[in-house]
């Protein structure tokens, strides 16, 4: 069986790329098709992969400012030749599920979310703090992109959502049924430690919609120590908000993350994400999470066992949760056991079983897999 893997773009490293790495591990001979690839911004291991880009790779600045080229992505993915493959696996949060496959081939899409840019545009624009003139400039493209995206969704034979929230979005925007297979957490990378230090931790790309500002202002108000690991275009603005108890660590090497997680009082996850791997990484290191009650955390946080929620995206709500939080009320072993239910081994077994059953269903002419 010849397999192809398709991914939207390779110029940033996040949760979607963790899933891609698992696909590559399961299907090491499968080429990875993507719109464009910036080798210097991706893990060094990717340089040994068979990565095949589209004509967009030749566009100036596309790897640095890919958002400016959004109207071109549909056409780029439709030019990828998948005629020689029996199985196409798309890892999509944007447009790559719109690839064209031959009739005999089965297409399974692992969906991180339907394209936020076009289906949740007003929320996206607010979260990214787009100016009024940018909103007006982008508006004429949205109708056509939504039309293309809705049509291209029917090219997928079987859908997988990375969370219950994304499953609901697939049903609403695409009118399709999806299974839920949670993204993988490499729990072997994290080791709980005895005790903890007196600091809260945030690990994230520093972007406006991540709402790191809430964590900073809450720790300013409570005079709590906060360590922030990560980088991004919002760094300077966040530093201006930070009081004397807030420290920016920048990008932290992978080998140091386990100790950083394991010694925190609690991990703070202040934004709304489609899933969110970092709270579970903190859990794998035996530490609880204080998370905003929305999005993927609804599937991953067990109040009173692995962490707590704050219910409004406000400083007051987060401060109330931090004030009520008792770090000694949680059992690190139970927290770790919860994280292990999301381990890479669980992900691989579930995904490969889904693919097997989907291929069997497709061969029998069943158009929609009975989830």
């Amino acid at each position: 069986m010849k397999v192809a893997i398709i991914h939207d773009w390779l110029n940033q490293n996040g949760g979607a790329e963790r899933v891609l790495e698992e696909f590559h591990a399961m299907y090491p001979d499968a080429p990875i098709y993507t719109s464009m690839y910036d080798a210097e911004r991706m893990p060094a291991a990717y340089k040994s992969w068979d990565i095949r880009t589209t004509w967009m790779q030749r566009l100036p600045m596309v790897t640095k400012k890919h958002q400016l080229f959004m109207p071109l992505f549909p056409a780029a993915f439709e030019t990828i030749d998948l005629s020689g493959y029996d199985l196409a696996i798309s890892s999509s949060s944007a447009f790559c599920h719109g690839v064209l496959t031959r009739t005999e081939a089965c297409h399974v899409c692992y969906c991180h979310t339907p394209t936020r840019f076009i289906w949740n545009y007003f929320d996206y624009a607010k979260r990214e703090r787009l100016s009024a003139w940018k909103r007006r400039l982008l508006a004429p493209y949205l109708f056509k992109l939504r039309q293309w995206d809705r049509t291209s969704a029917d090219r997928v034979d079987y859908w997988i959502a990375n969370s219950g929230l994304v499953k609901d979005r697939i049903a609403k925007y695409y009118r399709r049924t999806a299974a839920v297979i949670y993204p993988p957490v490499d729990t072997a990378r994290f080791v709980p430690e005895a005790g903890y230090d007196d600091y809260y931790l945030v690990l994230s790309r520093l972007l406006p919609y991540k709402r790191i500002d809430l964590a900073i202002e809450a720790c300013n108000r409570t005079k709590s120590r906060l360590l922030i690991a990560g980088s991004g275009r919002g760094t300077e603005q966040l530093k201006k908000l930070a009081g004397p108890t807030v420290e920016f660590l920048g990008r932290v090497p992978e080998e140091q993350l386990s100790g950083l997680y394991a010694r925190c009082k609690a991990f703070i996850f202040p934004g709304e994400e489609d899933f969110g791997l970092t709270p579970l990484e903190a859990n794998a290191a035996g530490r609880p999470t204080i998370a905003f009650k929305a999005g993927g955390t609804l599937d991953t946080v067990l109040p009173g066992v692995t962490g707590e929620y704050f219910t409004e995206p406000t400083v007051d709500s987060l401060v109330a949760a931090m004030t009520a939080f008792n770090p000694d009320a949680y059992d690190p072993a139970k927290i770790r056991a919860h994280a292990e239910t999301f381990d890479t081994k669980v992900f691989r077994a579930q995904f490969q079983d889904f693919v097997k059953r989907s291929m069997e269903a497709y061969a029998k002419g069943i158009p929609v897999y009975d989830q």
Side-chain angles (χ1 to χ4, degrees):
M1 179 177 67
K2 293 194 67 176
V3 180
I5 301 170
I6 309 96
H7 194 71
D8 288 307
W9 40 68
L10 289 173
N11 65 340
Q12 57 190 17
N13 191 18
E17 287 66 44
R18 301 280 184 89
V19 174
L20 179 65
E21 290 164 11
E22 290 302 311
F23 290 159
H24 177 69
M26 287 185 280
Y27 305 97
D29 296 327
I32 296 170
Y33 290 90
T34 189
S35 58
M36 49 78 178
Y37 168 45
D38 186 344
E40 299 309 312
R41 301 174 78 179
M42 302 306 296
Y46 286 33
K47 294 179 180 180
S48 66
W49 295 5
D50 181 3
I51 296 175
R52 306 179 187 183
T53 58
T54 69
W55 49 265
M56 290 190 72
Q57 183 72 23
R58 300 189 293 273
L59 298 177
M61 295 297 294
V62 70
T63 60
K64 304 296 189 294
K65 300 286 185 180
H66 70 273
Q67 297 93 338
L68 299 177
F69 299 87
M70 287 294 178
L72 302 180
F73 283 99
F77 281 109
E78 287 185 346
T79 64
I80 295 174
D81 182 4
L82 297 179
S83 59
Y85 298 96
D86 305 300
L87 172 65
I89 299 171
S90 56
S91 168
S92 180
S93 60
F95 303 108
C96 74
H97 61 271
V99 292
L100 303 174
T101 59
R102 62 192 181 96
T103 304
E104 297 81 8
C106 181
H107 181 179
V108 173
C109 177
Y110 188 91
C111 184
H112 306 281
T113 182
T115 317
R116 297 186 199 92
F117 177 74
I118 59 177
W119 292 110
N120 300 91
Y121 175 67
F122 295 106
D123 288 342
Y124 178 89
K126 182 179 179 181
R127 285 165 57 174
E128 290 296 313
R129 300 177 183 175
L130 298 183
S131 62
W133 73 267
K134 287 182 180 179
R135 296 187 192 194
R136 288 194 295 269
L137 182 65
L138 291 170
Y141 297 104
L142 297 180
F143 177 69
K144 288 293 185 182
L145 287 174
R146 279 193 291 266
Q147 281 187 318
W148 178 88
D149 196 47
R150 176 61 190 88
T151 301
S152 69
D154 289 338
R155 301 172 188 172
V156 175
D157 298 302
Y158 307 110
W159 286 89
I160 303 172
N162 73 346
S163 67
L165 172 67
V166 170
K167 177 179 180 176
D168 292 343
R169 289 178 184 166
I170 291 170
K172 179 176 177 63
Y173 302 133
Y174 299 152
R175 300 295 190 262
R176 298 291 301 275
T177 302
V180 175
I181 299 179
Y182 297 118
V185 180
D186 186 3
T187 60
R189 293 171 50 223
F190 306 100
V191 180
E193 296 185 10
Y196 56 87
D197 295 331
D198 189 25
Y199 67 85
Y200 292 102
L201 175 67
V202 165
L203 190 154
S204 174
R205 285 180 290 165
L206 304 187
L207 303 175
Y209 80 90
K210 300 287 188 178
R211 298 309 313 269
I212 311 303
D213 58 301
L214 295 180
I216 291 174
E217 293 186 21
C219 288
N220 286 345
R221 187 181 300 180
T222 60
K223 296 181 172 55
S224 301
R225 189 181 178 207
L226 173 66
L227 302 185
I228 300 175
S231 61
R233 67 177 185 270
T235 301
E236 292 308 313
Q237 184 176 5
L238 292 173
K239 284 183 176 181
K240 292 177 182 178
L241 291 176
T245 63
V246 179
E247 181 180 352
F248 290 80
L249 305 179
R251 291 188 177 182
V252 176
E254 289 287 326
E255 60 272 16
Q256 297 178 19
L257 287 180
S258 179
L260 193 63
Y261 276 126
R263 300 301 304 177
C264 73
K265 180 189 298 185
F267 185 79
I268 298 179
F269 193 73
E272 179 179 350
E273 295 281 1
D274 305 313
F275 182 71
L277 285 171
T278 50
L280 288 168
E281 290 181 344
N283 289 168
R287 301 312 303 154
T289 295
I290 300 175
F292 178 45
K293 190 176 183 179
T297 64
L298 298 175
D299 293 349
T300 61
V301 176
L302 302 179
V305 180
T306 69
E308 303 297 339
Y309 287 122
F310 64 102
T311 57
E312 300 292 334
T314 64
V315 177
D316 287 343
S317 184
L318 177 53
V319 166
M322 292 170 63
T323 302
F325 175 74
N326 176 10
D328 296 320
Y330 304 88
D331 182 346
K334 290 182 179 179
I335 296 175
R336 167 76 183 190
H338 171 70
E340 288 174 343
T341 65
F342 297 85
D343 188 69
T344 54
K345 294 179 182 178
V346 176
F347 175 83
R348 292 186 189 185
Q350 291 178 343
F351 184 81
Q352 289 177 319
D353 178 66
F354 182 92
V355 167
K356 177 178 179 292
R357 289 187 288 164
S358 295
M359 292 287 285
E360 291 172 351
Y362 192 77
K364 296 175 182 178
I366 302 175
V368 178
Y369 181 60
D370 183 2
Q371 311 299 344

